[in-house]
Amino acid sequence: MAFALQSSNMGRIFQTLGADPTKLGYFFILPPLAGMIVQPLVGYFSDRTWVPKIGRRLPYLIIGTIVAVVVMCLLPNSGSFGFKTSTALWFGAISILFIDLSSNMSMQPFKMMISDMVNDEQKDTAWSWQTIWGNIGSVAADLFPFFLTWIGVTNVAAKGELPDSIKVSFYLGTLILVVSSIFTIWKVDEYDPETYAKYHGLSEEDHIGENFFTIVKNAPKVFWTLGLVEFFAWAAFQYLWTYSAGAIAQNVWHTTNATSAAYQAAGNWYGVLAAVQSIAAVVCSYVLAKVPNQYHKLGYGGSLLLGAAGFASIFFVHNQYVLILSYALVGIAWAGMNTYPLTIVTNALTGKHMGTYLGLFNGSICLPQIVASLASFALFPMLGGSQVNMFLLAGIVMLLGALSVTTIKETYVK
């Protein structure tokens, strides 16, 4: 929910606060930068953590949740403290940074616990169900602004402020984040160090004596080839999150005025489309979980290819309802990106340094987002300064990701 509220509303939030569309990339660099720093550290240190009666990964979930609650309440109020525009934008940017720091600290334990406790035959199913539940949360979060507007919550605000529909959406997301985190902490019993070592065929001291750089050096080859695919796929999604609200407003509502009611309506509709994307990902994740191991590359490449078609089609579509098909295709790619890479990379790993490797692998998610945002400062003006045009570029980038799947050679630890 935290990630969905952030990704589906960031472009709208910063443009409503007064950000120049040509400078949006600056704000979208912060979340992946936070992920690149936090997730490897959480992985590295949680591999070496054991808190009696709590666990190895859960302490980091607890800390991340507490911080997330505070900053998720602050972000939607960035324009409500009487700051001038530049200060409000900086306040929002810092809030986004801490939301992503805390969300990454909260999310990483979920990935790691599957790797810690689920056998190879069940990983596809486990990660597919994690993707399904995550996308159910995304659907709800994405629909909050649209639903709240429908029941009468204000969807416009004074210049430089965010409408109540956005504020209440973040408050609801915060409440559900707390409830779901408490449920996880209450219900999950992690393997103690002795059981973990037996389960993975390790000694309890296997991690001792190897530093961070040695661990990176010994990463399996598939770790790097998967990174190439991830680079293209996540770069494309960075442009989706950055420019969707503005592109929909421009193509369908025929406005570029971020303070107008038409723009805010387009922002709500993007929430609906993001929910469509998540629903498509839920359905597709269930299907992908049934695909035999020998067809992983076909499923992965095929899902990214359909996603490329979805991205490119957004450039051509001027009807809000036809966009439902475009974002459904994007959702298929999202399902593939969140199911196959983790299964393929952990199949090639022993249980040794599992958290560290998964944290490092997050770099293949974060780095392309940073590169895409930096590149946007040159590409956006080259493509006519139009947010719609960025979706043709995103389609081409996603197509390169689909073609890069052919470089992957799966390996399995016996």
Side-chain angles (χ1 to χ4, degrees):
M1 281 203 142
F3 278 114
L5 284 167
Q6 172 187 304
S7 62
S8 64
N9 290 293
M10 265 184 70
R12 176 184 183 181
I13 287 172
F14 284 111
Q15 290 184 78
T16 301
L17 290 174
D20 181 344
T22 64
K23 304 295 191 295
L24 279 177
Y26 285 117
F27 302 104
F28 281 81
I29 287 173
L30 295 174
L33 186 61
M36 278 199 73
I37 296 170
V38 171
Q39 293 212 29
L41 291 176
V42 171
Y44 185 80
F45 288 111
S46 67
D47 278 344
R48 291 152 175 76
T49 297
W50 179 255
V51 179
K53 298 184 179 180
I54 299 179
R56 177 181 294 104
R57 317 296 184 186
L58 289 177
Y60 297 88
L61 169 62
I62 294 169
I63 296 169
T65 299
I66 293 170
V67 178
V69 166
V70 175
V71 289
M72 283 179 68
C73 291
L74 288 175
L75 174 62
N77 289 291
S78 298
S80 303
F81 297 117
F83 299 141
K84 61 182 182 180
T85 298
S86 58
T87 306
L89 288 171
W90 272 108
F91 186 90
I94 293 169
S95 297
I96 283 286
L97 175 63
F98 276 94
I99 284 178
D100 223 76
L101 285 168
S102 55
S103 296
N104 275 291
M105 188 176 288
S106 300
M107 184 185 72
Q108 195 67 356
F110 291 118
K111 294 180 181 179
M112 295 174 182
M113 284 188 284
I114 285 181
S115 300
D116 289 347
M117 303 169 69
V118 177
N119 64 48
D120 288 350
E121 288 74 23
Q122 295 176 328
K123 280 180 183 175
D124 275 350
T125 301
W127 266 304
S128 293
W129 275 104
Q130 189 173 93
T131 301
I132 287 168
W133 281 109
N135 280 295
I136 289 171
S138 296
V139 169
D142 292 332
L143 289 176
F144 279 161
F146 183 86
F147 175 74
L148 290 167
T149 303
W150 180 66
I151 64 174
V153 178
T154 306
N155 194 47
V156 291
K159 185 177 180 180
E161 293 189 26
L162 298 175
D164 288 344
S165 58
I166 296 293
K167 293 179 182 179
V168 177
S169 295
F170 272 83
Y171 300 154
L172 288 172
T174 301
L175 176 63
I176 296 170
L177 172 64
V178 171
V179 172
S180 59
S181 296
I182 290 173
F183 182 83
T184 300
I185 295 162
W186 176 38
K187 283 291 186 180
V188 173
D189 294 317
E190 296 191 70
Y191 293 158
D192 60 68
E194 182 181 352
T195 304
Y196 181 90
K198 288 180 179 178
Y199 185 74
H200 290 280
L202 305 170
S203 74
E204 292 183 50
E205 290 75 33
D206 260 344
H207 66 273
I208 302 299
E210 291 191 0
N211 62 40
F212 199 78
F213 298 102
T214 302
I215 294 170
V216 174
K217 181 180 177 181
N218 293 330
K221 183 179 179 180
V222 74
F223 185 92
W224 305 108
T225 53
L226 267 171
L228 177 64
V229 182
E230 294 280 271
F231 182 89
F232 292 119
W234 285 92
F237 267 89
Q238 184 74 344
Y239 291 141
L240 177 91
W241 297 323
T242 306
Y243 299 112
S244 275
I248 294 165
Q250 182 180 333
N251 252 9
V252 180
W253 271 265
H254 309 295
T255 183
T256 56
N257 179 6
T259 63
S260 66
Y263 184 94
Q264 298 302 327
N268 278 1
W269 190 246
Y270 172 47
V272 174
L273 295 173
V276 168
Q277 173 193 319
S278 297
I279 291 168
V282 167
V283 175
C284 189
S285 295
Y286 183 78
V287 174
L288 295 179
K290 306 295 183 183
V291 175
N293 286 355
Q294 63 266 34
Y295 298 115
H296 277 169
K297 289 172 64 174
L298 180 63
Y300 192 14
S303 64
L304 297 187
L305 192 61
L306 290 172
F311 274 104
S313 70
I314 295 169
F315 171 83
F316 299 99
V317 174
H318 294 268
N319 181 290
Q320 68 185 97
Y321 299 105
V322 178
L323 283 172
I324 291 173
L325 176 59
S326 299
Y327 279 81
L329 292 173
V330 170
I332 294 172
W334 184 247
M337 290 163 56
N338 284 279
T339 299
Y340 286 119
L342 289 171
T343 298
I344 293 171
V345 78
T346 56
N347 283 345
L349 298 172
T350 65
K352 189 178 179 182
H353 310 303
M354 184 69 78
T356 305
Y357 278 123
L358 288 181
L360 287 168
F361 187 67
N362 191 62
S364 67
I365 294 172
C366 298
L367 180 62
Q369 295 178 59
I370 295 170
V371 172
S373 289
L374 290 173
S376 71
F377 302 137
L379 295 172
F380 190 81
M382 284 175 57
L383 294 173
S386 169
Q387 298 187 60
V388 174
N389 293 350
M390 297 300 287
F391 281 89
L392 271 182
L393 174 63
I396 294 169
V397 172
M398 183 62 81
L399 176 61
L400 293 174
L403 296 175
S404 299
V405 172
T406 58
T407 66
I408 297 171
K409 184 176 180 181
E410 291 189 71
T411 56
Y412 295 84
V413 174
K414 300 299 183 183

